[in-house]
Amino acid sequence: MKGVSVPAVVGMPSPLFLWRFKAILFLLWGFCCCKIGWDSVMRMSADLRDLFLYEAFLYYNPLLLVALMIWLWGVNLWVFAQSSVNYVKVFDLAQTHLSHREIWRSAAWLTLIVPTSMTAYLYLYSHGEVSLAASQPVLLYAILLIVLLSPFDMFYLSSRFYFLRTMLRIILPLQAITFPDFFLADIFTSMSKVFSDLERSVCRMVNRQVATIAWFEADSVCGSHSIAIPLVLVLPYLWRFFQCLRQYKDTKEKSCLLNALKYSTAVPVIFLSALKYHVFPEQWASFYRPLWLVSGVINSLYSFYWDIKRDWDLSILTRIFMFKSPSTWTNLLYGRSWVYYWLLGSNLVLRCTWTYKLSSHLRHNYITVFTITALEMLRRFQWVFFRVENEWNKMTAKQNFEMSSDMPSEADRLLESNSHTV
């Protein structure tokens, strides 16, 4: 009604205040988890402390790395939304696709749940509740699997279906390979260590080795000498290898075969490393270890060359730094030569760590392997920017060429006109 004033909402906190409040709660939660976890570990005897800390780390570190990858993917989407790169068209996403905020929300929940379960596992075991402690990782894995496969319209059903469908296309490349197919398969190659640790964790749960030290024996079903470790490590590279062969079948481009050769160079690195546990030490030191080192160098340099020459094509990369609204990032990155030197140097160094990441016989130092795997996630994170931009540049160039070829020339218009006189 006219003349009636609507009372303003009083007492509603501002979005900035809510964000700060959530950040404070997050820090307090992190401090409590660290404090309870540390006290629980220190209650254990010295001879069992490292073993159970390693076991707990093995169950939960792959999920923490998945959470890190989701956080970084949200950053990727945020940068794409600020720039002129239309990632929605590149990935052929629906209008209901997840925004970077929803991606971050999912990563935040995973970041909260995983350390909480890990803290409960350490606390319950240190206080003698072994059966309850053993149920914590099993319960966590079961809940995450149910959420991922749930057919109900909850927890972003359309996005989960898109992800699962793409995974099925990767595992069974029986159709033409699209950009999302090989893009996600490339990301999976950086997560081969994650898949390997997930396999070992599930193996222990199935064989009821959770919260025991039987799994630590090298010759046990899920021990460090298991043949399943190299088999799972090599799976992402085999998926990508068969994708390249499928692309060659469809396009007859020789570059697809060269790309398949690149992924095949990871196979000797993985299996030569695994041979250390199945041959005599003298044979390993004199014959197999030199072959492993040579195969690692070939794989690293070949992959580095392909990143720079094929995946990125740095000669035309400009749009990723052209934000719609000028900001500090724009002024810091756009047109700066040091950005490209950083990309080349960091990509080369982190590519060389693949030998460590893919080699099962170097996994005794789990903190080092976790750090190297996290750095590989960061390398893939910056790879995403330029790989998606390069694809967008190709799409716009093709679209402009098709538009120019469809437009009639001046001579054609004159010949088709009936109003001119000779």
Side-chain angles (χ1 to χ4, degrees):
M1 296 176 59
K2 293 183 179 180
V4 179
S5 61
V6 180
V9 179
V10 181
M12 291 294 293
S14 64
L16 180 61
F17 174 80
L18 289 176
W19 184 87
R20 290 176 177 175
F21 181 71
K22 293 178 181 178
I24 292 174
L25 288 180
F26 187 84
L27 293 176
L28 288 176
W29 161 86
F31 174 78
C32 291
C33 285
C34 292
K35 184 68 170 58
I36 296 174
W38 178 258
D39 291 343
S40 301
V41 170
M42 298 308 294
R43 283 174 59 94
M44 302 179 187
S45 59
D47 55 339
L48 295 179
R49 185 179 302 158
D50 292 339
L51 297 181
F52 277 97
L53 185 60
Y54 182 25
E55 185 195 24
F57 188 80
L58 188 65
Y59 293 136
Y60 295 103
N61 94 88
L63 299 179
L64 291 175
L65 291 170
V66 170
L68 173 62
M69 197 70 222
I70 298 175
W71 279 111
L72 296 176
W73 175 242
V75 177
N76 288 134
L77 295 189
W78 176 79
V79 174
F80 291 143
Q82 303 299 318
S83 67
S84 58
V85 176
N86 190 350
Y87 72 93
V88 177
K89 189 173 181 180
V90 171
F91 291 101
D92 193 22
L93 298 177
Q95 296 297 326
T96 56
H97 71 278
L98 299 185
S99 66
H100 60 275
R101 291 185 179 87
E102 293 166 319
I103 295 292
W104 286 337
R105 190 177 298 118
S106 302
W109 277 110
L110 190 58
T111 306
L112 286 170
I113 294 172
V114 174
T116 302
S117 177
M118 183 176 179
T119 303
Y121 173 82
L122 295 173
Y123 178 83
L124 291 172
Y125 180 82
S126 65
H127 286 75
E129 301 291 342
V130 179
S131 59
L132 287 178
S135 67
Q136 296 305 307
V138 178
L139 184 63
L140 175 64
Y141 276 64
I143 291 175
L144 293 179
L145 185 63
I146 292 173
V147 170
L148 181 62
L149 301 179
S150 172
F152 303 105
D153 192 7
M154 56 190 300
F155 301 116
Y156 311 119
L157 175 62
S158 60
S159 297
R160 287 190 288 108
F161 177 76
Y162 179 87
F163 174 75
L164 293 174
R165 183 185 61 187
T166 306
M167 280 195 63
L168 183 61
R169 291 167 61 93
I170 291 172
I171 298 173
L172 299 174
L174 304 178
Q175 66 291 314
I177 307 300
T178 64
F179 181 78
D181 295 341
F182 67 76
F183 180 85
L184 184 60
D186 273 329
I187 293 179
F188 282 168
T189 60
S190 294
M191 302 179 69
S192 57
K193 166 67 167 58
V194 174
F195 294 143
S196 177
D197 286 348
L198 286 175
E199 182 275 329
R200 296 182 73 187
S201 299
V202 173
C203 178
R204 287 171 195 148
M205 296 175 191
V206 172
N207 290 277
R208 298 184 178 182
Q209 293 183 2
V210 183
T212 66
I213 60 173
W215 63 268
F216 196 72
E217 298 175 2
D219 297 327
S220 65
V221 178
C222 308
S224 59
H225 295 185
S226 172
I227 190 62
I229 295 176
L231 290 178
V232 175
L233 278 174
V234 82
L235 273 180
Y237 300 94
L238 292 181
W239 293 338
R240 195 67 186 91
F241 175 80
F242 287 116
Q243 279 187 337
C244 294
L245 295 184
R246 173 68 197 204
Q247 284 180 305
Y248 176 74
K249 178 180 179 296
D250 295 335
T251 63
K252 303 302 180 183
E253 295 182 1
K254 293 183 179 180
S255 60
C256 297
L257 294 180
L258 295 176
N259 200 14
L261 179 62
K262 182 195 74 172
Y263 291 103
S264 67
T265 59
V267 178
V269 180
I270 296 172
F271 285 101
L272 286 174
S273 171
L275 279 177
K276 181 179 181 180
Y277 300 123
H278 304 282
V279 298
F280 292 108
E282 297 80 10
Q283 289 180 311
W284 164 255
S286 61
F287 182 72
Y288 291 107
R289 184 167 61 181
L291 287 180
W292 164 71
L293 290 172
V294 171
S295 61
V297 171
I298 293 175
N299 173 259
S300 300
L301 295 181
Y302 198 165
S303 302
F304 172 73
Y305 163 79
W306 200 269
D307 283 342
I308 304 303
K309 183 65 177 178
R310 299 286 185 172
D311 286 349
W312 290 356
D313 190 11
L314 288 178
S315 60
I316 60 173
L317 298 180
T318 56
R319 298 185 180 185
I320 199 68
F321 300 143
M322 297 174 61
F323 285 4
K324 296 176 182 178
S325 56
S327 63
T328 304
W329 281 98
T330 305
N331 299 327
L332 180 64
L333 299 177
Y334 182 67
R336 306 296 182 184
S337 59
W338 66 265
V339 175
Y340 300 99
Y341 289 119
W342 164 259
L343 291 174
L344 297 176
S346 62
N347 193 73
L348 176 61
V349 172
L350 295 178
R351 276 294 187 184
C352 291
T353 61
W354 271 30
T355 303
Y356 204 111
K357 180 172 66 72
L358 298 178
S359 302
S360 56
H361 77 278
L362 297 175
R363 292 184 166 202
H364 55 278
N365 192 342
Y366 60 94
I367 298 296
T368 302
V369 175
F370 176 83
T371 303
I372 289 177
T373 308
L375 291 175
E376 170 64 16
M377 301 287 185
L378 294 175
R379 187 200 67 81
R380 184 62 66 177
F381 160 72
Q382 68 180 18
W383 175 90
V384 167
F385 286 125
F386 301 100
R387 183 64 186 91
V388 174
E389 182 187 12
N390 192 21
E391 186 67 20
W392 175 241
N393 287 335
K394 293 178 181 178
M395 292 178 62
T396 54
K398 181 179 180 181
Q399 184 179 3
N400 293 336
F401 176 78
E402 292 175 351
M403 291 178 60
S404 62
S405 61
D406 292 338
M407 294 179 61
S409 63
E410 185 68 21
D412 293 336
R413 290 197 299 269
L414 290 175
L415 291 175
E416 293 174 1
S417 176
N418 297 324
S419 60
H420 66 277
T421 58
V422 180

